[in-house]
Amino acid sequence: MDMIKTTIDGREIEVQRDRWALEVAREMGIEIPTLCHHSALEPYGACRLCVVEVTKGKWTWLTTSCDLPIREGLTIRTDTPAVIAARKTALELMLAQAPDAEEVRQLAEQLGTKSPRFPDRNESNACILCGLCVRVCKVVTGKMAICFSNRGTDRKVGPPFDRSSDECIGCNACVDICPTGCIESRDEAGIRKIPMLKTELKLADCEVCGKPFAPIRQLEHMQAKLREKFGDDFEAGCICPVCRREQTAARLHNVAEKIG
Ligand code: FES
């Protein structure tokens, strides 16, 4: 393992070369705000809240820490006046972009950024264009049922070509990962609806209790993935999580009775 020395907020540590500065700083107990970071996904550097000040030799610059690989000789500061000012500006931009995002408003209040100098771009939106939904969709489906479109102030997230996409399996990964909760999903009358993606998918009925629980397309996708890995004989069954838990509990109970 290639270990190197670096200094973060005055504390020298030895770390593996090329680890992300954000992760190392957090392990040291240093708080750095983020909105577009998820440890399971590749960094993207969109929200710019994780900005830090880096010095190497006679050069000092500001950069995002989520996608900063630690190299020999870097000195990193996470709390300088320039860092705080850059975070405030990033928050002002986000507030203008997504005035309805509660998380952004709370962070802005904590950092003392209340009213944006920049004009509102979208009066009724909480999307901060962090790209987490786009990245997680690629990981889960291997495709892009949700993507960025347009440029500049018109940039937005939605289905490709603004039309309902066959790639969407209705798994709700984008809904669950969204830091501002701006992607809505609801199950109504046996249909999963995700309005932002123009998705409407029929839910499969649990073969035990008969209640609809997951989109048929999502189950087919998962079955195909599992068969790829474990072979054609793999059969997961169409059972909702509640019934599956009950079946497992009953099985364990039977085993315990036999042993006991
Ligand atoms: S967490 Fe680094 S830019 Fe958003």
Side-chain angles (χ1 to χ4, degrees):
M1 209 180 291
D2 192 1
M3 302 298 282
I4 55 165
K5 286 201 172 123
T6 191
T7 304
I8 304 183
D9 286 351
R11 286 154 62 191
E12 191 182 69
I13 48 154
E14 204 177 37
V15 288
Q16 197 183 330
R17 185 187 168 82
D18 284 339
R19 286 200 58 207
W20 303 124
L22 172 71
E23 287 176 2
V24 173
R26 283 187 166 170
E27 281 169 18
M28 293 168 70
I30 297 167
E31 285 210 18
I32 297 179
T34 59
L35 275 173
C36 73
H37 175 74
H38 193 290
S39 55
L41 300 173
E42 281 294 304
Y44 183 59
C47 72
R48 305 202 64 80
L49 283 181
C50 67
V51 74
V52 291
E53 195 174 281
V54 183
T55 302
K56 183 164 189 191
K58 57 181 182 174
W59 304 105
T60 294
W61 68 99
L62 291 176
T63 188
T64 45
S65 59
C66 63
D67 55 359
L68 171 69
I70 291 195
R71 300 271 161 81
E72 191 78 55
L74 292 188
T75 299
I76 298 168
R77 301 267 353 167
T78 70
D79 56 359
T80 64
V83 166
I84 305 300
R87 286 185 189 153
K88 282 184 176 177
T89 303
L91 272 168
E92 276 188 63
L93 286 163
M94 256 185 273
L95 273 176
Q97 160 72 29
D100 296 338
E102 187 51 40
E103 294 71 8
V104 178
R105 283 211 297 265
Q106 278 175 10
L107 255 176
E109 261 181 47
Q110 279 169 23
L111 286 184
T113 314
K114 279 182 190 152
S115 43
R117 285 169 291 166
F118 310 102
D120 284 6
R121 293 176 187 172
N122 187 338
E123 292 289 336
S124 59
N125 200 347
C127 178
I128 55 169
L129 301 174
C130 67
L132 278 169
C133 54
V134 175
R135 283 175 282 157
V136 80
C137 181
K138 188 131 197 282
V139 170
V140 173
T141 66
K143 296 176 181 154
M144 294 196 94
I146 181 166
C147 60
F148 287 109
S149 60
N150 302 337
R151 286 166 191 265
T153 54
D154 291 331
R155 192 157 168 82
K156 63 174 188 171
V157 160
F161 308 108
D162 224 8
R163 284 200 296 261
S164 171
S165 165
D166 287 348
E167 313 283 21
C168 181
I169 58 172
C171 65
N172 277 351
C174 56
V175 178
D176 295 336
I177 206 166
C178 175
T180 63
C182 71
I183 309 178
E184 184 205 354
S185 171
R186 55 182 188 270
D187 293 350
E188 276 173 2
I191 305 285
R192 174 155 300 169
K193 296 180 181 172
I194 310 175
M196 189 201 237
L197 299 183
K198 301 183 176 13
T199 291
E200 294 206 357
L201 293 172
K202 187 164 170 29
L203 299 175
D205 295 335
C206 169
E207 57 194 38
V208 178
C209 67
K211 291 188 189 142
F213 72 101
I216 294 171
R217 193 185 284 169
Q218 180 190 357
L219 295 176
E220 287 172 352
H221 176 86
M222 297 318 292
Q223 289 268 6
K225 288 273 160 213
L226 290 166
R227 286 207 177 108
E228 244 173 62
K229 195 156 177 59
F230 301 112
D232 283 347
D233 293 339
F234 187 88
E235 189 47 72
C238 186
I239 302 174
C240 74
V242 177
C243 291
R244 199 175 287 282
R245 265 201 307 275
E246 283 174 6
Q247 284 186 345
T248 306
R251 231 183 359 257
L252 290 176
H253 181 74
N254 287 342
V255 172
E257 273 198 335
K258 273 186 201 146
I259 296 171

